[in-house]
Amino acid sequence: MAYIQVAVPVPLRQLFTYTHTSTLHRGVRVSVPFGPRKLVGVVIGTVPESDVEDVNKLKAIDSVLDDNAVIDDVLLKMAQWLWQYYHHAPGEVLHAMLPVLLRKGESPSPEPEDMLSLTSDVESIDLSILSKAPKQRACAEALEKGDMLASAARKRFGAPAVKALVEKSVATITAIIPQFKCAGWLNTMEVGEKPIPDKEQSVAVAALNRQHNSFAVSLLEGVTGSGKTEVYLQAIEPLLADGKQILILVPEIGLTPQTVSRFEKRFGIDVGVLHSQLSDKARLQVWQRARAGELGIIIGTRSAIFTPLKNPGMLIVDEEHDESFKQQDGLRYHARDLAAMRAKQHNIPLLLGSATPALESLNNALSNKYHHLQLTKRAGGAQSTHQHLLDARDQPIHYGIAQGMLSIMRQHISAGNQVLVFVNRRGYAPAMLCHHCGETVTCKRCDRPYTVHKGQNRLQCHHCSGTRAMPSSCEACHSSELVTAGTGTEQVEQGLSALFPGVKQVRIDSDSVRGKDKLHQTLEAINRQEYQLLVGTQILSKGHHFPHVTLVVVLDVDGALFSADFRAPEKLAQLVTQLAGRAGRASKPGEMWLQTHNPHHPLLQDLVNNGYGHFARLALMERKAASLPPYISQFVIRAEATDSHLAYNFLQGCKGIFNQHQAVEMNGPFPCLIEKRQGRFRFMLVCSHQKRAPLHEALRLALPFLQALPQAIKVRWSVDIDPTDFS
């Protein structure tokens, strides 16, 4: 009889022991009874009988789902670090690392797939019959080089072309079980034409080439448009040629298609793609191919960091400053930090790239913990974007745009260039109020104003996603004089149609680009110059290449200047700098205008006159003086309940427990920046220490006592290590 430790996907910070007739490999999945349920767990190891308290109470494993481990030793070590560092339930950590189908107990082996191939007697077929069908002929010629997945052929040449070839007996479709070949891309890899790197790019590539087969973290700090992606391409080329795999993390799904196409075009090989819009089956297929070593490049969003690699060569985190790399619920990991841990386990280099590096990464680079590589000039001789402040005080405002800004926009539109207008609010307006009594139409579950969505003729709460019909009168005084307050993307779009009649425009926000490939198609239309006016939210700020945009306008930049969040200046500076990088990326010079009622604010003055690099180094000095991250370590305990006193009292109890550790500095409990959401009141307790180890030890010792507090079962509470968001 063997006693097996299993990580079961339940929110309990412990492993569970089961019995089995023999020992099992670490990393295999098993089906186990857990109360009345059957759950899929992962074997962590075996314990001796002497360590088992009551053998008679143990349950037996129902079935073993795998012959070999689905999570290898490197990923198991990473999982163990994850649940220890983030103080999370081991079963939920391992659950998060697996594709959805494997969590449900499906087989990790590949299923039969339809393969398209030329018929055996194709030599007797005259391919000239396809002369009037160019897609069919192109597909047939591609098949002469080798068989192709029917799904890939349909995507590349179109389903009608594939169907026609089969009907004409030129090709056949056969169901076969894929045979993955390790480093199979070496047979098809053809490096395409590449530009000659400038001096700074050459230095960066040379430095990265010296790091092969050893652990090192490098921060590539390059101004927008400086050719960071080109450095990635040239740095990974020798690794791919050596049969090594590359894992690249990008912050947004919207960045994935353009990044994938660039890497495919350069190397002529299949690129694995992982993001939330893929089907569960498609994600499993990429997981299988990456694990077998068949894919040389895998590009994905945050959760792609868990992808198994047969022969890893380098990890890359693009736009490493982006907030989306931090998971904000469940297992609250940061993919950038996890990438560093994984690179260390594999003994391979990690490359972090950004024009606006996070202050944590910049501090590590300036203190020589990371290698610091810099690109200070735009690639191809493109000029830096000139930034200006437009004083909106005492100016007429039209649809949120000052009169002086309209004059600047007309100049660029008249010259045939594109203008990007940034509005950090989707919808028509962020609030609706009564013109008679001033009452605001508020979401009762969140105590926040509803956002007006005129396109849907509804009000929507952006905190709980609740909606309601547009009211016809005020609920307080019954007046019918309801007006909107503030400006959103819909209102700016409507206003620009009136101010610039005949000028084609497009709105890009999460409302307008829903649906598969909608964002990608819209971005391609922009680059074909089908639109001159681009109105959008933060979706437009991240890494996109708009060669014809010469003016970026930022409306209402003042909103972030007076936030209670100490990270707000950093986030604003990153956003403004990234937006500035969308203009003047090609031969045309670009400029950026920030519309503000606070033109003398020191943050705006520093950004416009000295740039992000100067701001970031000054911000680090301020953080050090104020004893804030990255110079201290933090964690936050959040609690929420329908009764505000319950959440508050629970955190007071937590504070009493931590008071026994004099070294831990505590702030709170106080309300979160968004105090009420979805009918629940939210409070937080912020705990800090100069060093990470004592802080984590205090939390580890305190957790059993926190769980035993009487209010612990009456509130929802969580621990967030290294928090980035206090809302």
Side-chain angles (χ1 to χ4, degrees):
M1 184 68 67
Y3 301 97
I4 311 296
Q5 274 195 320
V6 180
V8 182
V10 292
L12 296 171
R13 296 176 175 88
Q14 65 182 89
L15 299 171
F16 296 88
T17 305
Y18 289 85
T19 61
H20 194 60
T21 52
S22 61
T23 58
L24 296 173
H25 293 296
R26 281 163 44 88
V28 302
R29 295 171 304 147
V30 289
S31 175
V32 296
F34 194 87
R37 298 177 291 167
K38 301 287 185 187
L39 298 177
V40 175
V42 177
V43 172
I44 299 301
T46 305
V47 293
E49 185 175 354
S50 57
D51 289 352
V52 180
E53 289 185 5
D54 191 345
V55 174
N56 297 323
K57 286 186 178 181
L58 297 185
K59 295 181 180 179
I61 289 172
D62 282 340
S63 60
V64 181
L65 303 179
D66 306 305
D67 295 327
N68 300 304
V70 293
I71 299 180
D72 62 32
D73 281 341
V74 169
L75 288 176
L76 273 177
K77 283 182 183 176
M78 191 171 78
Q80 190 169 0
W81 177 84
L82 259 171
W83 77 62
Q84 289 174 349
Y85 184 80
Y86 290 102
H87 300 270
H88 201 76
E92 291 189 341
V93 169
L94 287 156
H95 201 61
M97 296 176 74
L98 290 171
V100 172
L101 293 179
L102 294 190
R103 298 175 198 171
K104 295 177 179 178
E106 298 284 330
S107 170
S109 302
E111 293 182 353
E113 292 189 69
D114 288 343
M115 188 66 70
L116 187 69
S117 56
L118 293 176
T119 53
S120 55
D121 57 345
V122 73
E123 291 180 3
S124 63
I125 297 174
D126 185 6
L127 290 182
S128 63
I129 62 172
L130 306 177
S131 59
K132 293 183 179 180
K135 286 192 175 181
Q136 294 176 37
R137 187 176 184 90
C139 183
E141 288 173 351
L143 290 173
E144 286 181 330
K145 298 177 182 178
D147 297 349
M148 188 184 307
L149 282 172
S151 57
R154 292 187 186 102
K155 183 179 178 182
R156 185 173 166 188
F157 303 106
V162 173
K163 184 180 179 183
L165 287 178
V166 174
E167 289 174 348
K168 293 174 182 177
S169 299
V170 174
T172 57
I173 292 180
T174 313
I176 63 166
I177 295 177
Q179 297 297 317
F180 299 136
K181 183 180 179 183
C182 184
W185 68 86
L186 291 174
N187 298 326
T188 57
M189 179 174 159
E190 291 181 13
V191 181
E193 186 178 344
K194 56 186 176 183
I196 298 173
D198 61 27
K199 185 177 179 181
E200 289 181 329
Q201 288 175 323
S202 298
V203 169
V205 172
L208 293 169
N209 286 343
R210 287 196 295 271
Q211 296 173 1
H212 292 179
N213 302 312
S214 63
F215 170 65
V217 183
S218 301
L219 174 65
L220 180 62
E221 182 185 8
V223 298
T224 51
S226 58
K228 292 185 290 296
T229 306
E230 185 57 38
V231 172
Y232 303 161
L233 288 162
Q234 298 204 19
I236 69 173
E237 184 183 324
L239 290 167
L240 287 171
D242 196 30
K244 299 288 181 68
Q245 294 171 286
I246 313 297
L247 176 60
I248 303 169
L249 300 185
V250 293
E252 294 284 345
I253 296 169
L255 288 178
T256 312
Q258 68 176 36
T259 309
V260 169
S261 62
R262 189 162 177 189
F263 279 78
E264 284 181 337
K265 186 177 179 183
R266 173 63 63 89
F267 299 113
I269 64 176
D270 267 357
V271 172
V273 181
L274 287 167
H275 54 70
S276 60
Q277 288 187 0
L278 291 178
S279 67
D280 292 343
K281 184 178 179 182
R283 289 177 73 94
L284 179 59
Q285 286 174 337
V286 174
W287 183 90
Q288 290 165 339
R289 296 178 71 194
R291 181 174 177 241
E294 187 184 66
L295 289 172
I297 302 173
I298 300 95
I299 298 176
T301 49
R302 179 178 60 227
S303 60
I305 189 61
F306 299 124
T307 308
L309 301 173
K310 176 88 170 177
N311 196 8
M314 179 183 278
L315 301 183
I316 297 174
V317 181
D318 191 28
E319 307 292 354
E320 62 86 30
H321 68 277
D322 200 279
E323 272 193 287
S324 63
F325 285 124
K326 170 74 170 171
Q327 174 83 17
Q328 297 295 356
D329 54 21
L331 172 60
R332 290 173 165 83
Y333 68 93
H334 201 302
R336 180 190 63 221
D337 300 339
L338 199 47
M341 176 54 62
R342 183 163 185 189
K344 187 175 183 180
Q345 295 278 0
H346 285 303
N347 198 36
I348 59 172
L350 166 65
L351 175 57
L352 309 174
S354 177
T356 54
L359 294 188
E360 288 82 359
S361 299
L362 183 60
N363 182 57
N364 282 332
L366 295 176
S367 58
N368 296 321
K369 290 181 182 176
Y370 294 172
H371 297 272
H372 197 188
L373 309 172
Q374 292 181 280
L375 305 177
T376 59
K377 299 174 184 175
R378 281 191 152 184
Q383 299 176 24
S384 296
T385 301
H386 296 288
Q387 298 183 33
H388 312 276
L389 296 174
L390 187 130
D391 188 351
R393 293 175 297 182
D394 297 325
Q395 285 201 42
I397 304 290
H398 307 277
Y399 304 98
I401 307 173
Q403 183 69 43
M405 193 72 84
L406 291 173
S407 304
I408 298 167
M409 292 170 66
R410 284 193 185 94
Q411 295 172 13
H412 286 261
I413 290 170
S414 300
N417 297 320
Q418 291 175 326
V419 174
L420 190 159
V421 181
F422 174 81
V423 191
N424 207 16
R425 295 271 187 179
R426 62 187 174 96
Y428 185 85
M432 174 176 274
L433 53 86
C434 176
H435 194 49
H436 177 67
C437 71
E439 184 74 16
T440 304
V441 186
T442 303
C443 171
K444 299 296 186 288
R445 299 183 70 209
C446 302
D447 285 347
R448 308 286 286 192
Y450 277 109
T451 299
V452 182
H453 285 257
K454 270 200 173 179
Q456 304 166 13
N457 197 33
R458 294 189 70 79
L459 300 180
Q460 182 179 337
C461 176
H462 287 180
H463 302 289
C464 69
S465 300
T467 63
R468 59 164 288 180
M470 202 84 75
S472 57
S473 61
C474 173
E475 293 177 353
C477 71
H478 307 294
S479 168
S480 59
E481 293 185 68
L482 295 175
V483 296
T484 59
T487 309
T489 49
E490 284 184 18
Q491 187 177 160
V492 172
E493 179 187 35
Q494 178 183 313
L496 291 175
S497 297
L499 294 166
F500 298 96
V503 177
K504 287 198 70 176
Q505 63 170 306
V506 63
R507 173 167 58 91
I508 298 182
D509 55 30
S510 55
D511 294 326
S512 64
V513 295
R514 283 183 182 152
K516 190 177 180 182
D517 295 332
K518 182 72 182 291
L519 176 59
H520 184 50
Q521 291 164 7
T522 306
L523 294 173
E524 287 186 334
I526 290 171
N527 286 336
R528 290 194 299 268
Q529 292 183 277
E530 293 180 18
Y531 306 103
Q532 262 195 288
L533 279 169
L534 325 176
V535 180
T537 55
Q538 291 194 33
I539 296 174
L540 283 176
S541 70
K542 297 175 179 178
H544 301 297
H545 180 65
F546 300 129
H548 306 292
V549 170
T550 57
L551 172 65
V552 173
V553 174
V554 180
L555 303 182
D556 191 26
V557 75
D558 301 329
L561 295 177
F562 308 105
S563 170
D565 184 355
F566 72 87
R567 295 183 190 274
E570 176 189 1
K571 294 173 184 177
L572 175 63
Q574 289 168 341
L575 176 63
V576 167
T577 307
Q578 291 288 338
L579 281 166
R582 300 316 111 211
R585 293 178 71 91
S587 57
K588 302 174 184 177
E591 61 178 338
M592 176 192 219
W593 284 84
L594 306 173
Q595 180 176 303
T596 176
H597 284 84
N598 298 274
H600 302 299
H601 194 284
L603 168 58
L604 297 180
Q605 287 291 335
D606 192 16
L607 264 183
V608 168
N609 294 311
N610 303 317
Y612 181 83
H614 184 273
F615 157 80
R617 286 153 178 81
L618 191 64
L620 279 172
M621 292 170 61
E622 291 176 349
R623 295 267 188 98
K624 189 172 186 178
S627 291
L628 289 170
Y631 298 99
I632 63 165
S633 291
Q634 281 185 334
F635 68 79
V636 168
I637 300 179
R638 292 186 180 88
E640 56 181 71
T642 52
D643 182 347
S644 61
H645 293 95
L646 276 176
Y648 182 83
N649 291 337
F650 169 72
L651 292 179
Q652 281 285 24
C654 295
K655 191 172 183 178
I657 291 169
F658 282 112
N659 272 333
Q660 299 170 27
H661 302 275
Q662 299 298 326
V664 177
E665 181 182 333
M666 287 170 289
N667 290 293
F670 44 72
C672 296
L673 297 182
I674 299 175
E675 183 176 356
K676 191 180 180 187
R677 181 183 282 167
Q678 297 180 341
R680 293 179 170 272
F681 293 91
R682 308 163 68 246
F683 290 81
M684 61 182 174
L685 178 67
V686 181
C687 302
S688 312
H689 194 278
Q690 295 293 329
K691 294 185 178 179
R692 182 175 285 117
L695 187 69
H696 282 256
E697 180 64 10
L699 177 58
R700 186 186 67 81
L701 294 173
L703 273 172
F705 298 100
L706 302 186
Q707 292 165 346
L709 285 171
Q711 301 94 338
I713 59 172
K714 299 176 184 178
V715 302
R716 289 182 188 170
W717 64 281
S718 61
V719 177
D720 187 1
I721 306 295
D722 303 331
T724 60
D725 181 16
F726 294 95
S727 62

